[in-house]
Amino acid sequence: MKKSSSITLGLLAAAALMATTGCSRRTEVRECVDKDHRIVEPALCQQQEENRQRGGYMGGYYPYLWHYGGSSGGRLGDAVMGGSSTPTPGMSAVTRGGFGSSMGSAAGHAAAGSAGS
Amino acid sequence: MKRQKIAPRADWQKKVESVGLTYHTLAPGTAPDGGALPYWDESAYYEFTAAEVDALEAATERLQEMCLAAGQFIIDNHRFADLKIPPQAVDAITKTWNDEPPALYGRFDLAFDGRAIKLLEYNADTPTALVEASVAQWFWLQDLFPQADQFNSIHEKLIAKWKDLKSYVAETVYFAHLDNEEDAMTVTYLRDTAEQAGIASASVLMSDIGWDEQKWRFLDLEGNPMETIFKLYPWEMMLAEQFSQYALDFMHKVQWIEPIWKMMFSNKGLLAVLWEMYPNDPLLLPAYLDGPRDLKDYVRKPLLGREGANILLVKDGEKQQTYGQYGAEGFVYQAAAPIPCLDGNYPVLGSWIIADQGAAGMGVRESDTPVTTNTSRFVPHLFR
């Protein structure tokens, strides 16, 4: 026989169930927030990261943070409650977003943004 | 090889969704009436003979051996520039080739007309259509033809490979991907096989991988160092992005799966290197980097093209072309393959190889034209 004798699915079956019942949350919500934890345009965080990468001096003051998780209305200006932000204490120099930009992100089949081939 | 028509299972969508193939239908607008075409198409199946499958299995094993020899040839003869591989990646490619860090899998795309088997390309870095080939068509077979066989032990061989890797990888093994359904389900399936081999795993978006500028290491969202990262994301794109230098400079701190030496294989320039090394080999088509030479019917493919984009097919003096964003890096010119047309469909076989486990199985994708694109359909198979 050249076929698998049995296939048991764990993670995949659970992910499929979540995806088809609308309960899927593949990724933690990430928002760009200001010092008051209010949502601002993501471009402000991206621009800040790029400046830091290029060695731009901002006086040690970084007004925008990526904030992970938590809850909010999801609109510009909404306050984010809960979750956590980077940089966190002791990890003040973590940069994110340095991979994954070439194909962007899109929902759907390979026709819409898969990195597979 | 025959194409057999068959009535799809009732509720086939729910059946394939339950085993992970949630992306079974293409985007709206792909059908002539404005609706969506199926991507998973079980209104037909491909039937092979045992002898045909034996031949495909042997061809896959042999092609893998030839590619490994080609990798050494590229390094020994410093042919990286021919493949437009960035100079800054050469040291890392050479070192990982020699050190042999973990590698997992690849998929050869083959033309098969019932007799001749020809290599079309090797998707060695980020092959997909894995859930379809390994899982969905296996369950289809169990439902409809449980007494028949299928060239598909991908699932078992993936688990066996992860078991082999367990003592080499750093746990947690991270599985990085883009935020789309197909890629998310593909890495979830790979995580599933790793977990079944006893390896702890986690998913992360490529864009969420962090770089610790103080300790010079990659971090997950919780700030944990990432030392083994499977990435469903091509190396050529990683090397064009902000963290590329970190990945290259600190290659010794991270096991990337697939390793960077796969850049030599996932590049279609490999086809010309293989033809140079093995001229007139029955598994190969003539292929050149400097133009079509004396080929009358040929396909011009971008070195780093994906999903049938930017392909130019010249046949019988007529030209067919697909469009996209690739080609600036250069092209390979390959003789047109003898892809059969069955009921108006052109099948291409994707033959899977699992590192150190050998040829593992295959999937069939068929198209309305000789060029396989991202709207080509996956059709299950069996053999008797």
Side-chain angles (χ1 to χ4, degrees), chain B residues 64-80 93-94 96-100 261 264-265 270 273-274 277-278:
Chain B
Q64 179 70 357
E65 288 173 13
M66 293 161 71
C67 288
L68 291 171
Q72 193 64 56
F73 178 87
I74 291 166
I75 289 172
D76 291 346
N77 294 282
H78 213 72
R79 299 289 293 274
F80 301 100
I93 288 172
T94 305
T96 54
W97 176 265
N98 292 326
D99 292 350
E100 298 186 31
W261 62 257
M264 298 187 291
F265 288 6
L270 174 72
V273 172
L274 285 169
M277 294 176 67
Y278 304 96

Side-chain angles (χ1 to χ4, degrees), chain A residues 14-68:
Chain A
L17 186 64
M18 286 196 295
T20 53
T21 54
C23 298
S24 174
R25 194 170 192 178
R26 292 191 300 277
T27 58
E28 192 174 35
V29 171
R30 182 175 81 158
E31 304 281 9
C32 183
V33 299
D34 63 13
K35 60 183 173 43
D36 298 321
H37 276 200
R38 291 191 179 280
I39 298 174
V40 297
E41 289 284 356
L44 294 170
C45 283
Q46 288 159 1
Q47 206 167 33
Q48 181 176 277
E49 285 180 2
E50 287 167 12
N51 286 342
R52 281 173 42 171
Q53 284 298 305
R54 286 197 295 264
Y57 181 64
M58 300 177 70
Y61 175 63
Y62 300 103
Y64 304 111
L65 303 169
W66 286 115
H67 191 94
Y68 296 88

